[in-house]
Amino acid sequence: MQQGLVQFSWTFVFQIFNTIIIFLVLRRILFQPVTNFMDERTKSIENAINDAELKNQQADELKNDYESKLDNIKEERNQIIREATKRAEERSDEIIKAAQTEAKLIIERANLEIERERQKAINLLKDEISALSIMAATKVIEKELNEEAHQAMIKKFIEEVGDEQWLN
């Protein structure tokens, strides 16, 4: 008799019964803890993913805040630079105007001084001419004037001054 792969006997029933008991025992001892472990691991991974997403959102918000603050700082920096440049230009204009005013005053003082010196030189020249004229007149008066000497002096004067000037 040839026997097949599966025979229905008490052994077969015991094998099925043992398989069910082993399945229940393994399920109780091994499958539930592994399933619980896997569920907990899944939950912890999901929590980690949620935390990571939350932190990414917070990081994005912080990034946006910092970018807006940087933009504000850049604008404020540009404003400060513009104001400082404007103040520097105004100060430069003030300094230039003050220097121009001072230069005008110096030029005016120099012109006044030149005019005073010129007037002084003219007065000095007049005084010297007067002194020379008086000396010359004194010499002429001291010298004995006769008609002939008097005529010679007039003739000499006319020659020196010139006929045209004398006639005008």
Side-chain angles (χ1 to χ4, degrees):
M1 267 212 223
Q2 198 177 7
Q3 292 189 350
L5 213 60
V6 178
Q7 290 180 349
F8 293 104
S9 65
W10 285 105
T11 312
F12 180 70
V13 173
F14 282 124
Q15 284 179 348
I16 290 187
F17 180 71
N18 282 339
T19 304
I20 291 174
I21 290 177
I22 289 176
F23 173 76
L24 292 176
V25 169
L26 286 177
R27 183 174 173 193
R28 180 88 170 147
I29 295 174
L30 187 60
F31 290 141
Q32 272 187 341
V34 169
T35 305
N36 289 340
F37 174 77
M38 295 301 282
D39 288 341
E40 289 176 13
R41 183 70 181 143
T42 303
K43 287 179 185 176
S44 69
I45 290 172
E46 287 174 355
N47 288 338
I49 290 172
N50 290 338
D51 287 344
E53 287 176 357
L54 181 65
K55 287 183 182 182
N56 279 342
Q57 287 175 352
Q58 290 173 347
D60 286 342
E61 290 174 4
L62 284 174
K63 180 185 171 194
N64 291 336
D65 287 345
Y66 285 126
E67 285 176 353
S68 66
K69 286 179 183 179
L70 280 175
D71 290 340
N72 290 339
I73 289 171
K74 286 178 184 177
E75 181 61 34
E76 186 176 328
R77 178 200 64 196
N78 291 339
Q79 181 66 27
I80 290 170
I81 289 171
R82 282 191 296 269
E83 289 175 4
T85 303
K86 183 179 176 185
R87 284 193 306 261
E89 287 174 358
E90 289 172 356
R91 182 67 180 136
S92 172
D93 290 343
E94 290 174 8
I95 290 171
I96 289 171
K97 287 179 184 176
Q100 288 173 343
T101 304
E102 185 67 26
K104 286 179 184 177
L105 287 174
I106 290 171
I107 290 171
E108 287 176 10
R109 283 189 223 131
N111 286 337
L112 287 174
E113 185 66 28
I114 289 170
E115 184 61 32
R116 273 195 295 257
E117 288 296 322
R118 188 176 75 73
Q119 193 63 38
K120 190 175 174 184
I122 289 173
N123 289 339
L124 200 67
L125 189 59
K126 284 181 182 178
D127 288 345
E128 286 182 18
I129 289 174
S130 297
L132 285 175
S133 296
I134 291 174
M135 243 174 28
T138 305
K139 292 253 182 192
V140 169
I141 292 175
E142 285 177 0
K143 189 178 181 186
E144 191 177 288
L145 284 179
N146 57 22
E147 187 63 33
E148 199 177 288
H150 185 43
Q151 288 298 327
M153 279 174 56
I154 291 173
K155 191 176 181 182
K156 186 178 178 184
F157 177 74
I158 291 173
E159 287 174 3
E160 287 178 5
V161 173
D163 287 335
E164 290 180 21
Q165 285 183 344
W166 183 256
L167 292 175
N168 290 334

